[in-house]
PDB file of all heavy atoms in Angstrom:
ATOM      1  N   ALA F  11       0.802  -1.264   0.041  1.00  0.00           N
ATOM      2  CA  ALA F  11       0.002  -0.002  -0.039  1.00  0.00           C
ATOM      3  C   ALA F  11       0.864   1.288  -0.062  1.00  0.00           C
ATOM      4  O   ALA F  11       2.136   1.112   0.017  1.00  0.00           O
ATOM      5  CB  ALA F  11      -0.861  -0.058   1.235  1.00  0.00           C
ATOM      6  N   ASP F  12       0.208   2.377  -0.031  1.00  0.00           N
ATOM      7  CA  ASP F  12       0.845   3.798   0.090  1.00  0.00           C
ATOM      8  C   ASP F  12       1.848   4.071  -0.924  1.00  0.00           C
ATOM      9  O   ASP F  12       3.031   4.080  -0.712  1.00  0.00           O
ATOM     10  CB  ASP F  12       1.400   3.908   1.506  1.00  0.00           C
ATOM     11  CG  ASP F  12       1.673   5.328   1.807  1.00  0.00           C
ATOM     12  OD1 ASP F  12       1.271   6.183   1.044  1.00  0.00           O
ATOM     13  OD2 ASP F  12       2.097   5.637   2.956  1.00  0.00           O
ATOM     14  N   PHE F  13       1.280   4.285  -2.170  1.00  0.00           N
ATOM     15  CA  PHE F  13       2.213   4.756  -3.248  1.00  0.00           C
ATOM     16  C   PHE F  13       2.192   6.330  -3.257  1.00  0.00           C
ATOM     17  O   PHE F  13       2.509   6.919  -4.274  1.00  0.00           O
ATOM     18  CB  PHE F  13       1.746   4.226  -4.572  1.00  0.00           C
ATOM     19  CG  PHE F  13       2.249   2.830  -4.923  1.00  0.00           C
ATOM     20  CD1 PHE F  13       1.530   1.759  -4.333  1.00  0.00           C
ATOM     21  CD2 PHE F  13       3.290   2.700  -5.695  1.00  0.00           C
ATOM     22  CE1 PHE F  13       1.991   0.477  -4.585  1.00  0.00           C
ATOM     23  CE2 PHE F  13       3.790   1.377  -5.912  1.00  0.00           C
ATOM     24  CZ  PHE F  13       3.107   0.265  -5.368  1.00  0.00           C
ATOM     25  N   GLY F  14       1.925   6.888  -1.981  1.00  0.00           N
ATOM     26  CA  GLY F  14       1.744   8.285  -1.903  1.00  0.00           C
ATOM     27  C   GLY F  14       2.980   9.137  -2.282  1.00  0.00           C
ATOM     28  O   GLY F  14       2.950  10.187  -2.708  1.00  0.00           O
ATOM     29  N   ILE F  15       4.262   8.500  -2.057  1.00  0.00           N
ATOM     30  CA  ILE F  15       5.429   9.202  -2.443  1.00  0.00           C
ATOM     31  C   ILE F  15       6.163   8.457  -3.498  1.00  0.00           C
ATOM     32  O   ILE F  15       7.276   8.622  -3.724  1.00  0.00           O
ATOM     33  CB  ILE F  15       6.314   9.451  -1.255  1.00  0.00           C
ATOM     34  CG1 ILE F  15       6.696   8.157  -0.489  1.00  0.00           C
ATOM     35  CG2 ILE F  15       5.683  10.456  -0.273  1.00  0.00           C
ATOM     36  CD1 ILE F  15       7.762   8.234   0.640  1.00  0.00           C
ATOM     37  N   ALA F  16       5.441   7.541  -4.156  1.00  0.00           N
ATOM     38  CA  ALA F  16       6.095   6.792  -5.243  1.00  0.00           C
ATOM     39  C   ALA F  16       6.277   7.858  -6.422  1.00  0.00           C
ATOM     40  O   ALA F  16       5.560   8.772  -6.574  1.00  0.00           O
ATOM     41  CB  ALA F  16       5.167   5.681  -5.787  1.00  0.00           C
ATOM     42  N   LYS F  17       7.260   7.529  -7.193  1.00  0.00           N
ATOM     43  CA  LYS F  17       7.583   8.466  -8.245  1.00  0.00           C
ATOM     44  C   LYS F  17       7.765   7.684  -9.554  1.00  0.00           C
ATOM     45  O   LYS F  17       8.205   6.552  -9.562  1.00  0.00           O
ATOM     46  CB  LYS F  17       9.088   9.126  -8.020  1.00  0.00           C
ATOM     47  CG  LYS F  17       9.172   9.865  -6.629  1.00  0.00           C
ATOM     48  CD  LYS F  17       8.232  11.060  -6.581  1.00  0.00           C
ATOM     49  CE  LYS F  17       8.436  11.719  -5.226  1.00  0.00           C
ATOM     50  NZ  LYS F  17       7.623  13.054  -5.149  1.00  0.00           N
ATOM     51  N   ALA F  18       7.320   8.318 -10.653  1.00  0.00           N
ATOM     52  CA  ALA F  18       7.573   7.723 -11.938  1.00  0.00           C
ATOM     53  C   ALA F  18       9.076   7.823 -12.253  1.00  0.00           C
ATOM     54  O   ALA F  18       9.701   8.893 -12.081  1.00  0.00           O
ATOM     55  CB  ALA F  18       6.847   8.486 -13.043  1.00  0.00           C
ATOM     56  N   ALA F  19       9.624   6.734 -12.717  1.00  0.00           N
ATOM     57  CA  ALA F  19      11.038   6.690 -12.773  1.00  0.00           C
ATOM     58  C   ALA F  19      11.700   7.682 -13.884  1.00  0.00           C
ATOM     59  O   ALA F  19      12.821   8.012 -13.725  1.00  0.00           O
ATOM     60  CB  ALA F  19      11.562   5.174 -13.229  1.00  0.00           C
ATOM     61  N   GLN F  20      10.860   8.022 -14.814  1.00  0.00           N
ATOM     62  CA  GLN F  20      11.300   8.848 -15.896  1.00  0.00           C
ATOM     63  C   GLN F  20      11.547  10.287 -15.373  1.00  0.00           C
ATOM     64  O   GLN F  20      12.192  11.108 -15.909  1.00  0.00           O
ATOM     65  CB  GLN F  20      10.491   8.918 -17.113  1.00  0.00           C
ATOM     66  CG  GLN F  20      10.108   7.541 -17.665  1.00  0.00           C
ATOM     67  CD  GLN F  20       8.864   7.007 -17.123  1.00  0.00           C
ATOM     68  OE1 GLN F  20       8.563   7.198 -15.987  1.00  0.00           O
ATOM     69  NE2 GLN F  20       8.017   6.435 -18.069  1.00  0.00           N
ATOM     70  N   LYS F  21      10.793  10.659 -14.220  1.00  0.00           N
ATOM     71  CA  LYS F  21      10.783  12.027 -13.761  1.00  0.00           C
ATOM     72  C   LYS F  21      11.998  12.271 -12.957  1.00  0.00           C
ATOM     73  O   LYS F  21      12.446  11.392 -12.154  1.00  0.00           O
ATOM     74  CB  LYS F  21       9.499  12.279 -13.006  1.00  0.00           C
ATOM     75  CG  LYS F  21       8.221  12.269 -13.904  1.00  0.00           C
ATOM     76  CD  LYS F  21       6.963  12.508 -13.080  1.00  0.00           C
ATOM     77  CE  LYS F  21       5.748  12.528 -13.940  1.00  0.00           C
ATOM     78  NZ  LYS F  21       4.478  12.600 -13.136  1.00  0.00           N
ATOM     79  N   THR F  22      12.443  13.580 -12.855  1.00  0.00           N
ATOM     80  CA  THR F  22      13.505  13.901 -12.027  1.00  0.00           C
ATOM     81  C   THR F  22      13.008  14.050 -10.626  1.00  0.00           C
ATOM     82  O   THR F  22      12.003  14.606 -10.352  1.00  0.00           O
ATOM     83  CB  THR F  22      14.147  15.187 -12.485  1.00  0.00           C
ATOM     84  OG1 THR F  22      14.536  15.208 -13.772  1.00  0.00           O
ATOM     85  CG2 THR F  22      15.274  15.699 -11.562  1.00  0.00           C
ATOM     86  N   ILE F  23      13.723  13.429  -9.633  1.00  0.00           N
ATOM     87  CA  ILE F  23      13.351  13.591  -8.251  1.00  0.00           C
ATOM     88  C   ILE F  23      14.388  14.512  -7.592  1.00  0.00           C
ATOM     89  O   ILE F  23      15.554  14.309  -7.534  1.00  0.00           O
ATOM     90  CB  ILE F  23      13.427  12.091  -7.501  1.00  0.00           C
ATOM     91  CG1 ILE F  23      12.492  11.146  -8.272  1.00  0.00           C
ATOM     92  CG2 ILE F  23      13.058  12.320  -6.152  1.00  0.00           C
ATOM     93  CD1 ILE F  23      12.661   9.772  -7.945  1.00  0.00           C
ATOM     94  N   SER F  24      13.805  15.542  -6.972  1.00  0.00           N
ATOM     95  CA  SER F  24      14.637  16.599  -6.472  1.00  0.00           C
ATOM     96  C   SER F  24      14.379  16.632  -4.876  1.00  0.00           C
ATOM     97  O   SER F  24      13.440  16.173  -4.417  1.00  0.00           O
ATOM     98  CB  SER F  24      14.446  17.947  -7.090  1.00  0.00           C
ATOM     99  OG  SER F  24      13.053  18.296  -6.959  1.00  0.00           O
ATOM    100  N   GLY F  25      15.306  17.504  -4.263  1.00  0.00           N
ATOM    101  CA  GLY F  25      14.972  17.609  -2.820  1.00  0.00           C
ATOM    102  C   GLY F  25      15.631  16.553  -2.104  1.00  0.00           C
ATOM    103  O   GLY F  25      16.284  15.597  -2.521  1.00  0.00           O
ATOM    104  N   SER F  26      15.436  16.543  -0.747  1.00  0.00           N
ATOM    105  CA  SER F  26      16.064  15.594   0.190  1.00  0.00           C
ATOM    106  C   SER F  26      15.246  14.276   0.063  1.00  0.00           C
ATOM    107  O   SER F  26      14.154  14.258  -0.585  1.00  0.00           O
ATOM    108  CB  SER F  26      15.919  16.137   1.646  1.00  0.00           C
ATOM    109  OG  SER F  26      14.541  16.343   1.960  1.00  0.00           O
ATOM    110  N   GLY F  27      15.769  13.279   0.617  1.00  0.00           N
ATOM    111  CA  GLY F  27      15.150  11.937   0.496  1.00  0.00           C
ATOM    112  C   GLY F  27      13.739  11.839   1.010  1.00  0.00           C
ATOM    113  O   GLY F  27      13.530  12.417   2.125  1.00  0.00           O
ATOM    114  N   THR F  28      12.871  11.165   0.353  1.00  0.00           N
ATOM    115  CA  THR F  28      11.569  10.912   0.836  1.00  0.00           C
ATOM    116  C   THR F  28      11.588   9.301   1.242  1.00  0.00           C
ATOM    117  O   THR F  28      12.211   8.608   0.572  1.00  0.00           O
ATOM    118  CB  THR F  28      10.461  11.107  -0.187  1.00  0.00           C
ATOM    119  OG1 THR F  28      10.818  10.537  -1.416  1.00  0.00           O
ATOM    120  CG2 THR F  28      10.321  12.622  -0.353  1.00  0.00           C
ATOM    121  N   GLY F  29      10.807   8.991   2.254  1.00  0.00           N
ATOM    122  CA  GLY F  29      10.825   7.643   2.671  1.00  0.00           C
ATOM    123  C   GLY F  29      10.839   7.622   4.194  1.00  0.00           C
ATOM    124  O   GLY F  29      10.731   8.661   4.872  1.00  0.00           O
ATOM    125  N   THR F  30      11.057   6.465   4.739  1.00  0.00           N
ATOM    126  CA  THR F  30      11.108   6.292   6.235  1.00  0.00           C
ATOM    127  C   THR F  30      12.545   5.920   6.654  1.00  0.00           C
ATOM    128  O   THR F  30      13.139   4.900   6.137  1.00  0.00           O
ATOM    129  CB  THR F  30      10.109   5.256   6.645  1.00  0.00           C
ATOM    130  OG1 THR F  30       8.882   5.597   6.238  1.00  0.00           O
ATOM    131  CG2 THR F  30      10.126   5.112   8.173  1.00  0.00           C
ATOM    132  N   ILE F  31      13.154   6.721   7.544  1.00  0.00           N
ATOM    133  CA  ILE F  31      14.560   6.440   8.000  1.00  0.00           C
ATOM    134  C   ILE F  31      14.504   5.021   8.660  1.00  0.00           C
ATOM    135  O   ILE F  31      13.666   4.673   9.397  1.00  0.00           O
ATOM    136  CB  ILE F  31      14.913   7.469   9.056  1.00  0.00           C
ATOM    137  CG1 ILE F  31      15.027   8.853   8.381  1.00  0.00           C
ATOM    138  CG2 ILE F  31      16.258   7.110   9.601  1.00  0.00           C
ATOM    139  CD1 ILE F  31      15.991   9.093   7.311  1.00  0.00           C
ATOM    140  N   GLY F  32      15.515   4.301   8.304  1.00  0.00           N
ATOM    141  CA  GLY F  32      15.588   2.925   8.894  1.00  0.00           C
ATOM    142  C   GLY F  32      15.196   1.861   7.860  1.00  0.00           C
ATOM    143  O   GLY F  32      15.604   0.678   7.971  1.00  0.00           O
ATOM    144  N   TYR F  33      14.453   2.300   6.824  1.00  0.00           N
ATOM    145  CA  TYR F  33      14.037   1.340   5.829  1.00  0.00           C
ATOM    146  C   TYR F  33      14.516   1.725   4.453  1.00  0.00           C
ATOM    147  O   TYR F  33      14.205   1.109   3.435  1.00  0.00           O
ATOM    148  CB  TYR F  33      12.472   1.276   5.842  1.00  0.00           C
ATOM    149  CG  TYR F  33      11.916   0.753   7.079  1.00  0.00           C
ATOM    150  CD1 TYR F  33      11.249   1.626   8.031  1.00  0.00           C
ATOM    151  CD2 TYR F  33      12.055  -0.556   7.407  1.00  0.00           C
ATOM    152  CE1 TYR F  33      10.737   1.128   9.147  1.00  0.00           C
ATOM    153  CE2 TYR F  33      11.461  -0.997   8.706  1.00  0.00           C
ATOM    154  CZ  TYR F  33      10.798  -0.167   9.455  1.00  0.00           C
ATOM    155  OH  TYR F  33      10.279  -0.593  10.618  1.00  0.00           O
ATOM    156  N   MET F  34      15.316   2.802   4.304  1.00  0.00           N
ATOM    157  CA  MET F  34      15.591   3.246   3.079  1.00  0.00           C
ATOM    158  C   MET F  34      17.142   3.095   2.684  1.00  0.00           C
ATOM    159  O   MET F  34      17.928   3.063   3.562  1.00  0.00           O
ATOM    160  CB  MET F  34      15.227   4.781   2.809  1.00  0.00           C
ATOM    161  CG  MET F  34      16.079   5.761   3.540  1.00  0.00           C
ATOM    162  SD  MET F  34      15.754   7.417   3.068  1.00  0.00           S
ATOM    163  CE  MET F  34      14.188   7.715   4.025  1.00  0.00           C
ATOM    164  N   ALA F  35      17.411   3.126   1.425  1.00  0.00           N
ATOM    165  CA  ALA F  35      18.772   2.885   0.976  1.00  0.00           C
ATOM    166  C   ALA F  35      19.558   4.165   1.209  1.00  0.00           C
ATOM    167  O   ALA F  35      18.981   5.278   1.179  1.00  0.00           O
ATOM    168  CB  ALA F  35      18.785   2.518  -0.503  1.00  0.00           C
ATOM    169  N   PRO F  36      20.891   4.059   1.383  1.00  0.00           N
ATOM    170  CA  PRO F  36      21.666   5.276   1.614  1.00  0.00           C
ATOM    171  C   PRO F  36      21.517   6.380   0.563  1.00  0.00           C
ATOM    172  O   PRO F  36      21.342   7.504   0.900  1.00  0.00           O
ATOM    173  CB  PRO F  36      23.097   4.761   1.549  1.00  0.00           C
ATOM    174  CG  PRO F  36      23.075   3.391   2.075  1.00  0.00           C
ATOM    175  CD  PRO F  36      21.715   2.852   1.508  1.00  0.00           C
ATOM    176  N   GLU F  37      21.464   5.986  -0.736  1.00  0.00           N
ATOM    177  CA  GLU F  37      21.417   7.036  -1.774  1.00  0.00           C
ATOM    178  C   GLU F  37      19.922   7.626  -1.875  1.00  0.00           C
ATOM    179  O   GLU F  37      19.782   8.853  -2.196  1.00  0.00           O
ATOM    180  CB  GLU F  37      21.670   6.401  -3.172  1.00  0.00           C
ATOM    181  CG  GLU F  37      20.515   5.507  -3.757  1.00  0.00           C
ATOM    182  CD  GLU F  37      20.599   4.056  -3.294  1.00  0.00           C
ATOM    183  OE1 GLU F  37      21.404   3.750  -2.431  1.00  0.00           O
ATOM    184  OE2 GLU F  37      19.649   3.362  -3.639  1.00  0.00           O
ATOM    185  N   GLN F  38      18.898   6.983  -1.298  1.00  0.00           N
ATOM    186  CA  GLN F  38      17.627   7.502  -1.261  1.00  0.00           C
ATOM    187  C   GLN F  38      17.542   8.566  -0.215  1.00  0.00           C
ATOM    188  O   GLN F  38      16.910   9.560  -0.393  1.00  0.00           O
ATOM    189  CB  GLN F  38      16.572   6.417  -0.936  1.00  0.00           C
ATOM    190  CG  GLN F  38      15.134   6.909  -0.965  1.00  0.00           C
ATOM    191  CD  GLN F  38      14.066   5.742  -0.767  1.00  0.00           C
ATOM    192  OE1 GLN F  38      14.403   4.629  -0.991  1.00  0.00           O
ATOM    193  NE2 GLN F  38      12.980   6.194  -0.269  1.00  0.00           N
ATOM    194  N   ALA F  39      18.270   8.343   0.898  1.00  0.00           N
ATOM    195  CA  ALA F  39      18.305   9.371   1.949  1.00  0.00           C
ATOM    196  C   ALA F  39      18.992  10.683   1.414  1.00  0.00           C
ATOM    197  O   ALA F  39      18.788  11.773   1.931  1.00  0.00           O
ATOM    198  CB  ALA F  39      19.187   8.871   3.170  1.00  0.00           C
ATOM    199  N   MET F  40      19.823  10.552   0.303  1.00  0.00           N
ATOM    200  CA  MET F  40      20.421  11.746  -0.347  1.00  0.00           C
ATOM    201  C   MET F  40      19.608  12.285  -1.377  1.00  0.00           C
ATOM    202  O   MET F  40      20.035  13.102  -2.128  1.00  0.00           O
ATOM    203  CB  MET F  40      21.777  11.228  -0.909  1.00  0.00           C
ATOM    204  CG  MET F  40      22.763  10.667   0.105  1.00  0.00           C
ATOM    205  SD  MET F  40      23.345  11.823   1.337  1.00  0.00           S
ATOM    206  CE  MET F  40      24.439  12.835   0.383  1.00  0.00           C
ATOM    207  N   GLY F  41      18.395  11.695  -1.631  1.00  0.00           N
ATOM    208  CA  GLY F  41      17.501  12.320  -2.528  1.00  0.00           C
ATOM    209  C   GLY F  41      17.626  11.728  -3.909  1.00  0.00           C
ATOM    210  O   GLY F  41      17.182  12.404  -4.981  1.00  0.00           O
ATOM    211  N   LYS F  42      18.284  10.567  -4.124  1.00  0.00           N
ATOM    212  CA  LYS F  42      18.500   9.990  -5.377  1.00  0.00           C
ATOM    213  C   LYS F  42      17.904   8.501  -5.439  1.00  0.00           C
ATOM    214  O   LYS F  42      18.648   7.600  -5.689  1.00  0.00           O
ATOM    215  CB  LYS F  42      19.906   9.960  -5.668  1.00  0.00           C
ATOM    216  CG  LYS F  42      20.626  11.427  -5.714  1.00  0.00           C
ATOM    217  CD  LYS F  42      22.058  11.276  -5.988  1.00  0.00           C
ATOM    218  CE  LYS F  42      22.667  12.602  -6.034  1.00  0.00           C
ATOM    219  NZ  LYS F  42      24.167  12.628  -6.175  1.00  0.00           N
ATOM    220  N   PRO F  43      16.575   8.308  -5.186  1.00  0.00           N
ATOM    221  CA  PRO F  43      16.041   6.988  -5.301  1.00  0.00           C
ATOM    222  C   PRO F  43      15.893   6.414  -6.614  1.00  0.00           C
ATOM    223  O   PRO F  43      15.924   7.160  -7.659  1.00  0.00           O
ATOM    224  CB  PRO F  43      14.686   7.183  -4.681  1.00  0.00           C
ATOM    225  CG  PRO F  43      14.292   8.618  -4.986  1.00  0.00           C
ATOM    226  CD  PRO F  43      15.541   9.316  -4.834  1.00  0.00           C
ATOM    227  N   SER F  44      15.936   5.086  -6.720  1.00  0.00           N
ATOM    228  CA  SER F  44      15.810   4.409  -7.975  1.00  0.00           C
ATOM    229  C   SER F  44      15.145   3.091  -7.647  1.00  0.00           C
ATOM    230  O   SER F  44      14.822   2.792  -6.536  1.00  0.00           O
ATOM    231  CB  SER F  44      17.170   4.112  -8.739  1.00  0.00           C
ATOM    232  OG  SER F  44      17.895   3.221  -7.974  1.00  0.00           O
ATOM    233  N   THR F  45      14.914   2.323  -8.665  1.00  0.00           N
ATOM    234  CA  THR F  45      14.409   0.904  -8.474  1.00  0.00           C
ATOM    235  C   THR F  45      15.368   0.145  -7.567  1.00  0.00           C
ATOM    236  O   THR F  45      14.860  -0.697  -6.766  1.00  0.00           O
ATOM    237  CB  THR F  45      14.191   0.131  -9.850  1.00  0.00           C
ATOM    238  OG1 THR F  45      15.368   0.196 -10.572  1.00  0.00           O
ATOM    239  CG2 THR F  45      13.131   0.821 -10.635  1.00  0.00           C
ATOM    240  N   ARG F  46      16.611   0.425  -7.659  1.00  0.00           N
ATOM    241  CA  ARG F  46      17.527  -0.288  -6.742  1.00  0.00           C
ATOM    242  C   ARG F  46      17.382   0.104  -5.226  1.00  0.00           C
ATOM    243  O   ARG F  46      17.772  -0.730  -4.424  1.00  0.00           O
ATOM    244  CB  ARG F  46      19.010   0.076  -7.213  1.00  0.00           C
ATOM    245  CG  ARG F  46      19.313  -0.497  -8.595  1.00  0.00           C
ATOM    246  CD  ARG F  46      20.680   0.013  -9.033  1.00  0.00           C
ATOM    247  NE  ARG F  46      20.894  -0.159 -10.566  1.00  0.00           N
ATOM    248  CZ  ARG F  46      21.501  -1.160 -11.026  1.00  0.00           C
ATOM    249  NH1 ARG F  46      21.995  -2.128 -10.300  1.00  0.00           N
ATOM    250  NH2 ARG F  46      21.605  -1.325 -12.372  1.00  0.00           N
ATOM    251  N   SER F  47      16.751   1.228  -5.018  1.00  0.00           N
ATOM    252  CA  SER F  47      16.521   1.682  -3.673  1.00  0.00           C
ATOM    253  C   SER F  47      15.405   0.802  -3.148  1.00  0.00           C
ATOM    254  O   SER F  47      15.431   0.436  -1.942  1.00  0.00           O
ATOM    255  CB  SER F  47      16.154   3.119  -3.596  1.00  0.00           C
ATOM    256  OG  SER F  47      17.057   3.993  -4.242  1.00  0.00           O
ATOM    257  N   ASP F  48      14.420   0.517  -3.893  1.00  0.00           N
ATOM    258  CA  ASP F  48      13.270  -0.369  -3.457  1.00  0.00           C
ATOM    259  C   ASP F  48      13.826  -1.800  -3.151  1.00  0.00           C
ATOM    260  O   ASP F  48      13.447  -2.394  -2.272  1.00  0.00           O
ATOM    261  CB  ASP F  48      12.197  -0.518  -4.520  1.00  0.00           C
ATOM    262  CG  ASP F  48      11.290   0.802  -4.495  1.00  0.00           C
ATOM    263  OD1 ASP F  48      11.271   1.564  -3.573  1.00  0.00           O
ATOM    264  OD2 ASP F  48      10.380   0.838  -5.482  1.00  0.00           O
ATOM    265  N   VAL F  49      14.796  -2.189  -4.015  1.00  0.00           N
ATOM    266  CA  VAL F  49      15.424  -3.531  -3.812  1.00  0.00           C
ATOM    267  C   VAL F  49      16.086  -3.522  -2.398  1.00  0.00           C
ATOM    268  O   VAL F  49      16.021  -4.555  -1.706  1.00  0.00           O
ATOM    269  CB  VAL F  49      16.494  -3.748  -4.903  1.00  0.00           C
ATOM    270  CG1 VAL F  49      17.528  -4.879  -4.582  1.00  0.00           C
ATOM    271  CG2 VAL F  49      15.784  -4.161  -6.245  1.00  0.00           C
ATOM    272  N   PHE F  50      16.730  -2.534  -2.033  1.00  0.00           N
ATOM    273  CA  PHE F  50      17.437  -2.403  -0.763  1.00  0.00           C
ATOM    274  C   PHE F  50      16.425  -2.475   0.389  1.00  0.00           C
ATOM    275  O   PHE F  50      16.678  -3.344   1.386  1.00  0.00           O
ATOM    276  CB  PHE F  50      18.159  -1.026  -0.680  1.00  0.00           C
ATOM    277  CG  PHE F  50      19.067  -0.983   0.568  1.00  0.00           C
ATOM    278  CD1 PHE F  50      20.373  -1.326   0.503  1.00  0.00           C
ATOM    279  CD2 PHE F  50      18.528  -0.473   1.766  1.00  0.00           C
ATOM    280  CE1 PHE F  50      21.275  -1.263   1.617  1.00  0.00           C
ATOM    281  CE2 PHE F  50      19.431  -0.355   2.865  1.00  0.00           C
ATOM    282  CZ  PHE F  50      20.775  -0.715   2.845  1.00  0.00           C
ATOM    283  N   SER F  51      15.260  -1.838   0.266  1.00  0.00           N
ATOM    284  CA  SER F  51      14.260  -1.886   1.338  1.00  0.00           C
ATOM    285  C   SER F  51      13.680  -3.311   1.456  1.00  0.00           C
ATOM    286  O   SER F  51      13.434  -3.761   2.558  1.00  0.00           O
ATOM    287  CB  SER F  51      13.123  -0.867   0.958  1.00  0.00           C
ATOM    288  OG  SER F  51      13.675   0.437   1.021  1.00  0.00           O
ATOM    289  N   ILE F  52      13.478  -3.962   0.277  1.00  0.00           N
ATOM    290  CA  ILE F  52      13.058  -5.315   0.337  1.00  0.00           C
ATOM    291  C   ILE F  52      14.094  -6.214   0.957  1.00  0.00           C
ATOM    292  O   ILE F  52      13.768  -7.161   1.718  1.00  0.00           O
ATOM    293  CB  ILE F  52      12.688  -5.819  -1.088  1.00  0.00           C
ATOM    294  CG1 ILE F  52      11.590  -4.992  -1.692  1.00  0.00           C
ATOM    295  CG2 ILE F  52      12.350  -7.319  -1.077  1.00  0.00           C
ATOM    296  CD1 ILE F  52      11.305  -5.259  -3.100  1.00  0.00           C
ATOM    297  N   GLY F  53      15.352  -5.981   0.709  1.00  0.00           N
ATOM    298  CA  GLY F  53      16.456  -6.684   1.292  1.00  0.00           C
ATOM    299  C   GLY F  53      16.445  -6.672   2.835  1.00  0.00           C
ATOM    300  O   GLY F  53      16.724  -7.568   3.541  1.00  0.00           O
TER     301      GLY F  53
END
């Protein structure tokens, strides 16, 4: 659930990281999420 902060991959994502601290990949915390960031959270 909760695709509220999901982003279309083609779009530029700016600003600081969105997500929940403790469950996000290091690069996502820097505002650069990708599909690989979701992989990290699943891991």
Side-chain angles (χ1 to χ4, degrees):
D12 199 0
F13 279 79
I15 56 174
K17 306 290 182 181
Q20 307 96 318
K21 294 179 181 176
T22 302
I23 301 167
S24 60
S26 59
T28 53
T30 303
I31 298 296
Y33 299 104
M34 71 169 81
E37 75 281 358
Q38 187 176 333
M40 302 294 287
K42 298 177 181 177
S44 70
T45 52
R46 296 173 193 263
S47 310
D48 281 351
V49 163
F50 189 91
S51 297
I52 296 169

